[in-house]
Amino acid sequence: MIDQFTNYARVYDERNLPLAPIAENMHFLIRLILKNAPVRARVLCVGVGTGAEILSLSKSFPEWTFVGVDPSSGMLDVCRERLSTAGVLNRTELIHGYVHDVPLAENYDAALSILVAHFVKRQDRLNFYEAMCDRLSDNGTLINTEISYDLNSPKFQSMIKNWEAVQLLMGATPESLTNLSQVLREMLSVISPGETESLLIQCGISMPVRFFQAFMISGWYGIKKSRTDQKNTHQDAGEE
């Protein structure tokens, strides 16, 4: 029997179809970033949803294995179906929960969080990024995309018009758009690109690079410093 959460997950995919050109470009760039990962890389997908990133990566990297974690059982049901249809469920483990429910000992070659972080409260954001970094091998790659913008910038009033166009494509009504700024400030936890980069650096990500932007959607990648490098960095900072 299909429950209401599974039905919502199916509607979620349909609702996002108009944004496929943005998603396709983002996933194309992610594949390029990870092209030099180990042949048998182990990849963690946080907030895996219906499995878009696993489906994208599994086609290009046939020996990779994946762990996907998501708090929504409905999303995981649809994800499991899609991965089974694509023939990649046999190299994927799905976990019902949050990133902290993923065992620490795995040492993943890459960790991805795709359009998830803006749902994490501001006060919990550093802990969220740290949890992903903690599960990476030394020199593993973290990739993070999220809605990110300086909502206090004078440019925000121009950008919000573009974001309204995006929301209309996804089925928003003119009435719902009147509260869009409030949604970004209060219901979501949208922080500026500068703040995101600072938090990633605090987690031990070496020089996060912003590789993607589509209006207010931004993406970063970076390499986790080895423990030796992190220790040396802290010592150098102490000497200063």
Side-chain angles (χ1 to χ4, degrees):
M1 180 177 178
I2 299 174
D3 62 25
Q4 61 178 333
F5 300 107
T6 303
N7 281 328
Y8 170 79
R10 297 190 196 286
V11 172
Y12 175 86
D13 278 345
E14 294 173 7
R15 182 170 174 260
N16 283 283
L17 276 177
L19 303 186
I22 295 175
E24 288 166 3
N25 178 253
M26 180 173 61
H27 287 295
F28 168 74
L29 295 176
I30 290 171
R31 291 195 299 272
L32 288 181
I33 291 166
L34 294 176
K35 64 182 176 61
N36 293 322
V39 173
R40 294 181 176 83
R42 184 78 163 154
V43 179
L44 173 63
C45 299
V46 178
V48 68
T50 58
E53 57 263 42
I54 295 178
L55 291 169
S56 170
L57 293 171
S58 62
K59 293 176 184 177
S60 297
F61 306 102
E63 295 188 62
W64 287 12
T65 56
F66 304 90
V67 170
V69 59
D70 200 286
S72 168
S73 58
M75 288 288 187
L76 290 178
D77 286 342
V78 175
C79 180
R80 191 173 289 105
E81 289 178 14
R82 295 183 71 192
L83 297 181
S84 179
T85 300
V88 296
L89 186 59
N90 62 332
R91 49 191 173 110
T92 304
E93 177 187 354
L94 297 177
I95 298 173
H96 183 213
Y98 298 88
V99 61
H100 294 88
D101 296 311
V102 178
L104 278 167
E106 290 285 349
N107 293 324
Y108 293 91
D109 298 292
L112 284 68
S113 168
I114 307 302
L115 299 178
V116 173
H118 48 264
F119 294 110
V120 179
K121 293 180 180 179
R122 191 186 211 104
Q123 62 267 30
D124 298 329
R125 192 72 65 85
L126 177 61
N127 185 257
F128 175 74
Y129 297 140
E130 284 179 336
M132 285 193 291
C133 289
D134 288 345
R135 286 155 177 80
L136 277 173
S137 301
D138 288 349
N139 301 313
T141 302
L142 183 142
I143 297 179
N144 172 68
T145 70
E146 61 185 75
I147 300 173
S148 177
Y149 205 79
D150 182 353
L151 302 184
N152 297 315
S153 166
K155 299 176 183 178
F156 176 63
Q157 294 307 313
S158 295
M159 179 58 78
I160 195 71
K161 299 299 181 183
N162 298 321
W163 200 245
E164 287 175 358
V166 170
Q167 297 304 304
L168 284 170
L169 285 174
M170 298 173 67
T173 63
E175 293 76 18
S176 66
L177 293 181
T178 61
N179 297 319
L180 187 54
S181 179
Q182 183 179 359
V183 169
L184 293 169
R185 294 177 184 277
E186 299 177 10
M187 294 184 66
L188 299 178
S189 297
V190 176
I191 64 178
S192 72
E195 188 172 356
T196 298
E197 291 177 16
S198 176
L199 292 174
L200 292 173
I201 291 169
Q202 289 181 57
C203 294
I205 296 300
S206 177
M207 294 183 293
V209 175
R210 182 147 50 137
F211 72 94
F212 180 82
Q213 182 172 352
F215 291 149
M216 287 197 291
I217 300 172
S218 290
W220 291 264
Y221 75 91
I223 305 300
K224 178 183 176 180
K225 296 179 183 178
S226 69
R227 290 174 177 80
T228 300
D229 288 341
Q230 291 186 49
K231 182 178 179 181
N232 290 338
T233 300
H234 292 313
Q235 288 177 342
D236 291 344
E239 290 172 1
E240 293 174 3

